[in-house]
Amino acid sequence: MMNRRQFLLATSAGAAAWAIGWPQRSSWAAAPDAPRESLRIAFFTDIHTRVEWETPEALRLTARLINERKPDLVICGGDCITDGFQNGRDVVAPRWKAFRESLFELVEPTTEVAMGNHDIVGAMPEDGSAPEADPRSMFREELGIKEIYRSFDAGGYHVILLDGVQITRDEVKYRGFIDDEQMKWLRDDVSRVDATTPIILVTHMPLLSSFQAATLGNDVPAPRNRAIVNNREVLEVFKRHHLPLVLQGHNHVNELLRWRDTTFITGGAVCAKWWRGPWFGTEEGFGVVTLRKENVDWEYVDIGWTARRPPNQ
Ligand SMILES: [Fe+2]
C-alpha cells in the first residue's frame, strides 16, 4: 500500500507527464498514397533574432534540440530576424549574423528558409533614408538563397516554398499575396509533379488559420497583412494533386487545422511573444512532423526558455 506521500508523488508525476504530452503532440492517419520511407521534418519559424536579452542563447538551445531529433529535413518558416522592413542594412546586420551563427549554421541538415515579412530589409526606412532598391537582397545574400520561391524533392515528397509577402507601402505596409508571376511559376511547377506524389507547401503567411476567429471573434476577418488574401487561388492549383501538409508561420501560435485532405500546421514561434514569453498559450518552441507510410506524428517542442525581455521594452 502506498502511504499518503507516495500517493501524492505518484499522482503529481502522472499529472505532469500528461500535461507535458498534451496538447503538444498529435498523430493522424497518413494519406493512402504516402511514400514507403519516413521523413522527419523539423519546422522552426518566427525567430525574430535580436542580439539583446541573451536571445542568441535561446537560438543555440533551439539548434541543439533540433539536432537531437535527427531530422531528415529542416525548414524555417521565416522572420529569421526582427524589424528589417523599417530599418536599413546597418541596423539589422548584427541580427543576421546572430541568426546565422547561433542557429542557421548549427543545424543539420542545412535549413531551407521561406522568407518572412521581417526578413525584408529597408522597404520603408523609418530614419528617412532611401528605400533599398531590392528589399529582398539582404535575405538572399545572408542565407545564400538564389530563388526565394522554389521547390525540391525530399523523401518521396515534393516541397514548395512560397514568397507570400507583397510590399504595398500603404498603411499596413505589405499584404499576403502570391502575385501573377509566382502563380504562373507555381502552376508550372505543380503541373510537373506526378499526381500520386504528395506535396508539402511552406509559406510564412498563412493560407488558412483560425487565429483571427479565435482571438478577435468570428466577425473579424484576417487583415490583409495577416494572411495570404488570394489563398483560394493558391489552393486551387493543387486540386488534382495531393497536398497533405501546409507549414506556415506569422501568427506565432501552435495550431493544427484540417481542411478537406490537407493539414495546415501553424508552427508556433521560437521567440513566442516576441521574446516576452508565451503568446496565447504557445511557448517558445518549434515543431517536428514525422511523415510515415501509415501515420503522421506532430510534436511541438517547448525549448524551455524563460523570457528575459524587460516588460517596458
Ligand atoms: Fe513573426
Side-chain angles (χ1 to χ4, degrees), residues 45-48 77-82 116-118 204 226 249-252 268-269 271-272 274:
T45 185
D46 293 270
I47 304 88
H48 289 256
D79 282 2
C80 306
I81 61 153
T82 209
N117 48 294
H118 282 259
H204 177 71
R226 299 285 94 197
H250 201 50
N251 287 341
H252 293 217
C271 75
W274 296 265

Side-chain angles (χ1 to χ4, degrees), residues 204-225:
H204 177 71
M205 302 274 260
L207 287 163
L208 274 186
S209 172
S210 59
F211 180 74
Q212 300 296 327
T215 56
L216 298 174
N218 278 331
D219 57 345
V220 181
R224 61 188 183 278
N225 62 352

Side-chain angles (χ1 to χ4, degrees), residues 126-277:
E126 280 176 347
D127 65 2
S129 59
E132 282 274 331
D134 178 6
R136 284 162 164 81
S137 58
M138 196 171 192
F139 170 79
R140 286 196 296 259
E141 289 162 22
E142 290 284 340
L143 303 182
I145 291 168
K146 267 197 206 142
E147 305 293 343
I148 295 178
Y149 55 88
R150 59 194 186 278
S151 67
F152 56 91
D153 295 318
Y157 291 79
H158 185 68
V159 183
I160 300 174
L161 276 65
L162 294 180
D163 172 359
V165 189
Q166 186 187 45
I167 300 167
T168 54
R169 297 195 172 88
D170 60 7
E171 65 278 14
V172 290
K173 301 176 184 171
Y174 59 87
R175 67 170 176 164
F177 188 70
I178 306 298
D179 65 17
D180 290 348
E181 191 184 323
Q182 193 176 164
M183 282 302 306
K184 184 179 180 307
W185 171 84
L186 181 63
R187 286 190 192 99
D188 287 351
D189 188 76
V190 172
S191 73
R192 284 193 289 272
V193 179
D194 193 284
T196 60
T197 302
I199 300 174
I200 298 168
L201 189 56
V202 185
T203 167
H204 177 71
M205 302 274 260
L207 287 163
L208 274 186
S209 172
S210 59
F211 180 74
Q212 300 296 327
T215 56
L216 298 174
N218 278 331
D219 57 345
V220 181
R224 61 188 183 278
N225 62 352
R226 299 285 94 197
I228 291 176
V229 298
N230 58 336
N231 59 332
R232 291 186 300 166
E233 187 186 3
V234 174
L235 293 172
E236 183 77 6
V237 174
F238 301 89
K239 71 179 178 196
R240 288 189 191 86
H241 285 78
H242 290 293
L243 181 67
L245 185 63
V246 176
L247 299 172
Q248 43 192 28
H250 201 50
N251 287 341
H252 293 217
V253 291
N254 173 24
E255 176 195 55
L256 291 182
L257 189 153
R258 175 106 11 91
W259 171 248
R260 303 181 75 169
D261 298 332
T262 305
T263 301
F264 295 77
I265 297 178
T266 305
V270 172
C271 75
K273 190 183 177 183
W274 296 265
W275 300 112
R276 293 183 188 93

Side-chain angles (χ1 to χ4, degrees), residues 17-28 69 254 256 288 296-301:
W18 186 80
I20 289 164
W22 184 92
Q24 291 172 198
R25 287 169 191 271
S26 190
S27 293
W28 56 93
R69 263 115 186 131
N254 173 24
L256 291 182
V288 179
V296 180
D297 292 334
W298 165 253
E299 178 191 10
Y300 187 72
V301 181

